[in-house]
Every structure is written in structure tokens, then in C-alpha cells.
Amino acid sequence: MNKRSLFCLLWFFITLNVFAGSGVALPSDVQGFIDNADACEHFSGEWDNNLPKTRQLDIKEALDKNCGIARRQQSELKEKYEGNQEIEKILADYKF
């Protein structure tokens, strides 16, 4: 198993555990947004100009993918769940 697969698997279980413990059932599209937004924030924090170029490229690829998807999802979900205060708060907690 490569590092990326291991990270994705670990991230999945962490996210699953956080929401399973809270008792909050979120719609799957909102959970998908949270997964992408959290990954975007994670990779943003990993960036370092001193990293090897290959790692920088991996991080840039992950940022482009996850942040781009999360921005698009956030916009769509704000419109879809307008008036749902719980989901509006979740969406507002992320700034890109």
C-alpha cells in the first residue's frame, strides 16, 4: 500500500469516527463536501518550500483536486440547503 492510499484510508476512518461519535447524520453530499474540504485544509498545511519536488507536486495535485471540488460543492450546497441552519453553519465554517 502506498503512502497516498494509506493516508486516504486513515482520513476516511478519522472522519467516520468523528461523525459517528457525534450522532449527527448528514446528507451524503454534505459529508462528501466535508471530506474534500478537510483534505484541502490538511494539504494546505503540509506545503513547505523545502520539501522534495516530488512531494510538492503530490501536494499541489491534492490541493488542486480537493480544494477545487470543495469550492464547487460549497457553492452548490449553499443554494441547495438554504434555510437549513445546521448545514449552513457547516458550510460557513470553511473558507477557501
Side-chain angles (χ1 to χ4, degrees), residues 30-44:
V30 175
Q31 185 60 56
F33 162 75
I34 291 169
D35 293 343
N36 286 313
D38 286 346
C40 174
E41 288 182 349
H42 169 80
F43 285 110
S44 295

Side-chain angles (χ1 to χ4, degrees), residues 17-82:
N17 194 24
V18 167
F19 285 101
S22 69
V24 175
L26 295 172
S28 62
D29 54 355
V30 175
Q31 185 60 56
F33 162 75
I34 291 169
D35 293 343
N36 286 313
D38 286 346
C40 174
E41 288 182 349
H42 169 80
F43 285 110
S44 295
E46 275 199 21
W47 183 262
D48 185 336
N49 287 330
N50 297 320
L51 290 171
K53 292 294 180 198
T54 55
R55 183 63 184 141
Q56 287 180 359
L57 289 173
D58 288 343
I59 293 171
K60 183 181 179 329
E61 182 180 303
L63 285 169
D64 290 346
K65 176 186 173 201
N66 291 292
C67 297
I69 292 170
R71 279 187 206 99
R72 191 169 45 254
Q73 288 173 317
Q74 188 179 42
S75 176
E76 293 168 0
L77 293 172
K78 280 182 180 180
E79 187 175 317
K80 180 177 179 179
Y81 291 102
E82 185 177 359

Side-chain angles (χ1 to χ4, degrees), residues 7-25:
F7 169 77
C8 289
L9 186 61
L10 179 62
W11 192 256
F12 170 77
F13 284 115
I14 289 171
T15 305
L16 180 66
N17 194 24
V18 167
F19 285 101
S22 69
V24 175

